[in-house]
Structure formats: structure tokens, C-alpha cells
Amino acid sequence: MTPITLHLLVVGAPFFLIGAVLAAVLRPARLASGAGFAASAASSFIGLLLAGWFLATDQTSVLALGTFIPVGRVRFSVDALAAFFLILTFLVVLAVSVYSLGYMRQYESRYNVRYFAVLLNLLSLSITLTVAADNAVLFLIAWEAMAILAYFMTVYRFDYPATPRAAFLMTVIMEIGAGMLIFAFLLLYSYAGEFGFDAIRRAGPTIPEHTRGLIFVLALLGFGAKIGIVPLHIWLPEAHPAAPSNVSALLSGVVVSAGLYGLVRVLLVLLGGGPVWWGIVCLTIGTVTAVLGVMYSMQTHDLKCLLSYSTVENMGIVLLLFGAGLIFGASGLPALASLAVLVGLYHTLNHAAFKGLLFLGAGAIEYAIHSINMDHMGGLAKRMPWTGLWCFIGTLAIGAIPPLNGFVTEWLTLEVMFQGFRLTEALNKILLSLAGAALALTIAMSLTIFIKLYGLSFLGMARSDAAARAHEVPVSMRWGMGILAISCVGLGVLPFLVIPFLDTITTPLWGTSVTSHVVAGLILIPYDNRFSAASPTYLAFMLPILLLLPAGISAAWGRFRVKRVERIWIGGLPALRPTMQYSPLGFSNAIRIIFGWIYRPQPNGASAAFPYSSYFVRSTGYRSHIFPFVERFLYLPLIKGAKSISRYAVRFQSGSLNRYMAYMFILLLVALLFGS
């Protein structure tokens, strides 16, 4: 196999393009969409194997297509970092492609399904080209194509009331970020003399510190718009509920992760890291993003909105780790810097797996009951056992329950924060300690949130007629969820296989390998064996035994005892009613009270009394509105200021030809004055 053919297969070009063409030309629509999804799945599977091979062998594949002015050298390259993000991309796209074979049937009579299959293949291709681009202009072209295609996939259900606002908001935030990235790459070009990443990397040390600082800020905000850092996160809770659930899985698992790839590529690979204040900024923004993301996730009843705020939280955790890595690197602790970035990359992969799984699970629930409001769910585990099982695995994973993948990286994240005592600067020690405390709060609240999600959605009694009539989703949807569920198990139980691969990415950054500091057989030892240790692999074998042993003893003991079965007292009622269960609002009420200074809840009560007396209430209702902190204090003032400026600027556009000629005359005089 030639290098060109091999590289094309890695970036998925042949089958993604074939899938887009087949979906566009075949008839009928179901055959066309099926062929498109099958081609996308095949390309993802082949690319997954080859990208894994590149990462395992630490090889770099380069595809040079000549020189094109003004782009420069048109070149794509797959190094260890690109191969890792390609693995992440292909894993999620494979699951989404299989899942979509059944999921998109519900839209065949309302929307153009072949159009969706075309978009899926093109979006997958644009993401892989973004990761493989070895030139700033090619990167920005692929980046913009990814944003445009993500917009069209978000507005696929164009007749939903919330879709236009969500897509507009997403596009505005994305384009603001893209503008900042263009400015950052132009600054890099001014010192490198060309747009190739190799030239930029060589020129990195020659860039003055103030310019490097400006590039850092532009890159953080530009990629942060895609990641969803506070305050640029507001598009996520809007776009996810509006988009189909398979699109939400792509947005949260892959598109958002592309922003993290860009941060690592620019800040750590091209610029080679930076001063301590870079790390402090990333650490602070990441901590605030994680805490606010989990707090707002707690208070929503919309399943996909809850998951989108959880994405904000997890992206904050990854940015927090990158910030810790920059602090350690600038403080002369390269091994800890490598460990922090390694754990951040590991958590990025884990997040793509369990968040993609939960979004697909939300789509399965919506497919079955036509709602994503948790007030309409309940008892779905009995009626949708496979969906319930896969979502249970995803819930345990995102809740950091051992031995699944979320536990591995969140435990390692806490361990990285605890290593802050090795720093010499008191301020840095305090900041890492505060970030660790905030992270512990975030993990605890996240576990509470996902107990709420699974308990109110899958357990208990059905809260609506639709939930009572629900049935299992098509087989392809179950397979799509199963791919990611098995990945969550594998990434958690086998960390000793994953970490050496990630070490090939972080070793060139600081010239230090950390595998020996972390992996000792089947045991994880973060940096120092005198500090702490854990083995998710051993836990995977021991936990089932520890769970089954008491159950076996109880069952054996119960054979020799007399059982008495009595009716449970429920206030004199003949049977338990669905309305007597915890509601989503009631479940999160304690957190709302504790953090009322942030939430500022605004309750709205309503009641209707019998006509003959106001003391006998026929029905009552309660609603609580959470204060939109960021929107109220940042975006609304900006919007009001822009409107004021616009009203003032309109005076200069009167439509008078004489006034326009006067403007030109004044401008000419100013130009002559300064020109002389």
C-alpha cells in the first residue's frame, strides 16, 4: 500500500466522499441514506484501525500535494497527536453512523433523509481534514467547513420553534472564534514567513513575549468558542435540544473536541508552551467553566440541555488540566506537565465515549416517547432494557464510578491537582489547591446529577402515557449505543494499555516520558508510588464478586426464614401514584437552596380554587426560573450597547448625496494632512 493511499484512508477521504455521492444520487431515499450511513461507518472503521496503528507505532504520515499561492505548501500530516484525535473522531462517527440507520427512519416522511447522510459524510471529512491539516490556511478552511456543516446539521429539524435561535447563536459564537483564530495565525505568519506548521514551529522561539501572549489569548478565545468555555458556552444548551440526538453526539463528542485539538496544537506544539500566567488563565477559566457547567446542569429538566451543560463542565476539567500542565512546565516540572496533559487527552477521549453514548440514549428515549423532558419519563428500564443497560453504563462512566473510564481520568485529575505541593511559588500552590477543591465539588455534584438523570428517566413509575407505552428502539440504534458503551468499559478497565499510547503524544512536548511514573503492571501510580495508587483492572474483577457475595448469602439465608408480606402504608391510598414520586424540580431543590446566591431562583406559583371557597384548592402548579448570570451581566449589556451605537450611527446614513460627498471631502483632507 502506497503512503498516499494509506494517508487517504486515514483521513477517510475515499469512503466519506463515496458516501456523500451515493446518498445524493441513489433512489429511493431510504436506500440512499442507508448507503451513505454504511459508507460513513466503513470509512470510520478503516480509519480507526489505521489511526490506531499510526499511534501504536509512533509513525507520521505526510501527504504533500504541491504548492498553491497564497496557501503555500498544501500538505496533510498525521502525527501522534492527530492520530489520537482521529481515533476519537472515527469512534464517535462509527457509532453515530450505525445508530442513524434506525434513528433517521422517524424523519423520512418529514425531512430529506438523504440530505442528512450527505451532511454526515461531509462533516466527518471536514473534521478529519481539520485534524490532519499541516498548514494554517488549510486548517482554517477545514475549520470553517466544519462550522458550516455543523450549522446545517443543527437546523436539520428546521420547523422546530427553538431551531432558528439556536443555530444563529451557534453561528455567531463560532464566527467570532474563527475571526480570532485568523488574527492569531496571521500573527504567526508574520514571524514564520509562511503558513506551514513546520515553519511556524521553528519561528516560535523568536516571537516576542508580548506577541506570544496576544496569540495565546486569541487562540484560547478562538478555540474556546468551540469548546464552550464560560462565557462562550451559551450556544451549547441552545443547540443540543434543537438538533437531532445523533447530531448532538457529534457536536459534543467530536466538534467540541476539535477545539481542544486546536489548543494543544497551537499552544503546546507550535508555540512550545508559555509562561506561568498562561497556565493560571487556563486553570482559572477551566475551574469556573467546570463549576458553572455542573451547577446549571443540575437545574434543568430537559435531558439534552442537562447533557450539554455537562459537556461544558467536562471541557472545563480538560482545560483545567491543560492549565496545570502549563504551570508545571513553566515551573521546571516537566514530568508533571506531561502527566497533566496526558490525563487531559485521556479525559477528552473518555468524554467523547460516554457523552456520545448518553446523547444517543437521549435520542432513543425521544424516539420512544417523543419527549426529552424528564417529567414525562420514568419506568423506561423495564420497557427498553437494552437502552436502559447502555445508558446505565454511560451514567456510571460519567459519574466517575469505578472501574469505568470516567473514574480513571477524574481520579487522575484529582491526583494531578494534589501534586501542586511540589511547586515553589505559594500562589501557584494555592491556585491548584483551590482548583482541586472545586473539582471535588464538581465531581460530587455530577454524580448527583446523573443519579437524577437515570433514576427519573429509567426507574420508578411511568410519569406519562407515552412512557407507559414505550418500547425498545431498532437494533441498529442499540448497536450504535453498544459500541460506545463497550468503549467506556474498555477505556476504564484497560488504562495500562491506553496510557503508553498517550505518552507518545506528550513525550515530545517536554522531552519526558511518564509511563513509568503512572503504570506499574495493572496498577496506576500517579507520579509517586508513595502518594497513592489504584487499579481499575483489579476493581473490575473484585467489584462483581463483592456485589454478588452478599446477595448469595442473603438468598441462602432467606430459605430458612419465614417471610411475611404486608401492604405498604401510603396514606390510605389503594396504590402508589406516579405523581407521588420525586420530580426533577424536587430532586434538585436542595442544591438550588444551597447555591441560591448563584441561581437566584424566581418561583412562580399558580393555583385554582373551588368557586365557592378559596380555601379548597383544586389544583396547584410550581415553576422555578434560574437566573441567567452570564447572559444578564455580559451579553445583554453588550447587546444594548451595540443597539445604542447603531441608533447613533444611523444618523450618518441619511441617504443625502451631499452629505456623503462631504464625508469623502473630509476624509480626503485628513488623508492629505497625515500623508504629508
Side-chain angles (χ1 to χ4, degrees):
M1 185 179 293
T2 65
I4 291 181
T5 305
L6 186 62
H7 189 91
L8 286 172
L9 288 174
V10 172
V11 299
F15 290 106
F16 283 137
L17 288 175
I18 291 171
V21 172
L22 290 177
V25 303
L26 287 180
R27 297 290 186 275
R30 175 173 288 192
L31 175 63
S33 62
F37 296 141
S40 176
S43 186
S44 300
F45 182 72
I46 295 172
L48 186 63
L49 295 178
L50 290 174
W53 180 77
F54 274 108
L55 186 59
T57 57
D58 195 18
Q59 295 192 25
T60 299
S61 173
V62 177
L63 176 63
L65 301 177
T67 303
F68 178 74
I69 299 176
V71 176
R73 289 185 299 168
V74 179
R75 203 173 85 149
F76 296 93
S77 174
V78 178
D79 57 6
L81 178 63
F84 168 76
F85 277 93
L86 286 175
I87 290 171
L88 181 153
T89 299
F90 291 140
L91 175 64
V92 177
V93 172
L94 173 62
V96 168
S97 300
V98 174
Y99 180 90
S100 298
L101 288 168
Y103 178 76
M104 296 305 296
R105 292 178 190 171
Q106 62 183 319
Y107 298 132
E108 287 178 346
S109 61
R110 297 180 60 187
Y111 310 112
N112 189 339
V113 182
R114 70 168 68 245
Y115 167 70
F116 184 90
V118 172
L119 290 177
L120 175 61
N121 279 277
L122 293 181
L123 177 65
S124 303
L125 180 59
S126 68
I127 295 170
T128 53
L129 291 177
T130 300
V131 172
D134 198 27
N135 177 288
V137 176
L138 293 177
F139 176 88
L140 289 171
I141 291 172
W143 182 268
E144 192 64 16
M146 175 176 60
I148 294 171
L149 291 164
Y151 167 84
F152 282 116
M153 294 192 80
T154 301
V155 299
Y156 180 73
R157 301 189 297 189
F158 55 86
D159 54 350
Y160 276 46
T163 297
R165 168 185 162 83
F168 173 77
L169 188 61
M170 181 179 76
T171 303
V172 168
I173 298 293
M174 294 293 184
E175 293 309 309
I176 291 173
M180 293 182 178
L181 292 179
I182 291 172
F183 191 15
F185 279 118
L186 286 175
L187 286 174
L188 291 170
Y189 171 78
S190 66
Y191 289 93
E194 58 179 283
F195 288 109
F197 283 167
D198 283 342
I200 293 174
R201 183 166 51 250
R202 290 192 299 269
T206 66
I207 301 175
E209 280 302 316
H210 64 276
T211 306
R212 286 168 60 89
L214 177 59
I215 293 170
F216 162 74
V217 172
L218 290 170
L220 179 61
L221 294 176
F223 292 119
K226 190 82 73 178
I227 295 169
I229 62 172
V230 172
L232 301 174
H233 69 289
I234 59 173
W235 68 272
L236 281 161
E238 297 274 354
H240 283 299
S245 293
N246 49 357
V247 176
S248 296
L250 287 172
L251 290 176
S252 188
V254 178
V255 174
V256 168
S257 299
L260 295 172
Y261 164 78
L263 269 183
V264 176
R265 177 65 72 183
V266 172
L267 299 186
L268 299 181
V269 177
L270 299 185
L271 293 179
V276 171
W277 72 267
W278 288 21
I280 292 174
V281 170
C282 290
L283 184 78
T284 304
I285 294 177
T287 303
V288 172
T289 299
V291 172
L292 288 183
V294 76
M295 290 184 69
Y296 279 97
S297 179
M298 186 72 187
Q299 300 303 324
T300 181
H301 305 170
D302 185 298
L303 188 57
K304 291 171 68 176
C305 186
L306 181 153
L307 293 173
S308 67
Y309 274 120
S310 174
T311 297
V312 174
E313 171 220 339
N314 281 276
M315 293 301 102
I317 292 174
V318 176
L319 185 60
L320 178 152
L321 283 162
F322 289 169
L326 287 167
I327 292 174
F328 286 131
S331 302
L333 295 170
L336 280 174
S338 293
L339 176 60
V341 175
L342 183 148
V343 177
L345 293 173
Y346 199 168
H347 192 69
T348 303
L349 177 59
N350 288 342
H351 174 261
F354 58 61
K355 188 57 62 62
L357 168 59
L358 290 174
F359 268 117
L360 296 185
I365 294 173
E366 186 180 15
Y367 186 96
I369 70 171
H370 306 291
S371 175
I372 52 175
N373 190 330
M374 285 187 285
D375 283 314
H376 301 156
M377 300 176 192
L380 295 177
K382 296 179 181 178
R383 299 169 182 85
M384 305 171 66
W386 281 105
T387 300
L389 173 62
W390 299 141
C391 288
F392 184 63
I393 293 174
T395 302
L396 294 180
I398 199 171
I401 302 299
L404 298 175
N405 57 346
F407 165 76
V408 176
T409 47
E410 295 199 7
W411 177 74
L412 285 172
T413 301
L414 286 171
E415 297 297 329
V416 168
M417 295 298 109
F418 294 155
Q419 299 291 342
F421 75 90
R422 301 180 186 276
L423 296 168
T424 56
E425 292 290 333
L427 175 61
N428 296 338
K429 290 183 180 181
I430 293 172
L431 288 174
L432 258 72
S433 299
L434 292 175
L439 179 64
L441 172 65
T442 299
I443 293 172
M445 289 187 65
S446 178
L447 179 60
T448 305
I449 289 167
F450 288 98
I451 290 173
K452 165 186 169 180
L453 182 150
Y454 195 84
L456 299 182
S457 301
F458 288 94
L459 305 180
M461 302 175 65
R463 292 177 171 82
S464 66
D465 292 337
R469 296 192 302 267
H471 54 83
E472 191 57 273
V473 295
V475 174
S476 63
M477 294 176 65
R478 286 177 259 164
W479 286 356
M481 291 185 283
I483 291 171
L484 295 179
I486 294 170
S487 300
C488 290
V489 176
L491 291 169
V493 174
L494 305 173
F496 59 89
L497 296 180
V498 179
I499 290 173
F501 292 152
L502 298 177
D503 193 35
T504 62
I505 302 172
T506 57
T507 295
L509 299 179
W510 283 282
T512 302
S513 173
V514 296
T515 298
S516 59
H517 292 280
V518 182
V519 178
L522 302 180
I523 301 175
L524 299 185
I525 304 173
Y527 191 75
D528 191 340
N529 57 9
R530 297 169 298 178
F531 198 71
S532 64
S535 177
T537 309
Y538 288 142
L539 286 172
F541 289 100
M542 292 304 299
L543 285 177
I545 296 174
L546 294 176
L547 291 173
L548 293 175
L549 185 60
I553 295 173
S554 176
W557 180 256
R559 295 178 183 178
F560 305 103
R561 301 184 63 184
V562 177
K563 295 182 180 179
R564 294 184 61 184
V565 179
E566 298 290 345
R567 194 174 189 180
I568 299 175
W569 171 254
I570 51 175
L573 296 175
L576 187 68
R577 297 174 183 173
T579 53
M580 298 169 68
Q581 304 176 104
Y582 262 107
S583 66
L585 184 65
F587 191 95
S588 55
N589 190 53
I591 301 296
R592 186 184 300 107
I593 293 172
I594 294 171
F595 296 101
W597 58 280
I598 292 179
Y599 290 129
R600 300 186 188 182
Q602 302 169 11
N604 298 317
S607 62
F610 282 116
Y612 55 80
S613 173
S614 61
Y615 295 103
F616 295 92
V617 177
R618 180 184 302 170
S619 63
T620 185
Y622 182 83
R623 224 174 21 163
S624 180
H625 175 68
I626 300 302
F627 183 77
F629 189 84
V630 174
E631 290 86 340
R632 180 70 59 86
F633 291 115
L634 177 63
Y635 288 106
L636 285 181
L638 287 175
I639 292 171
K640 290 180 180 179
K643 287 182 177 179
S644 299
I645 294 173
S646 299
R647 284 193 294 268
Y648 183 77
V650 151
R651 301 175 184 176
F652 296 94
Q653 296 181 342
S654 62
S656 170
L657 182 60
N658 292 334
R659 182 174 294 184
Y660 293 157
M661 293 180 67
Y663 294 158
M664 295 172 63
F665 179 70
I666 293 171
L667 182 63
L668 179 61
L669 288 178
V670 171
L672 291 173
L673 179 64
F674 284 98
S676 61

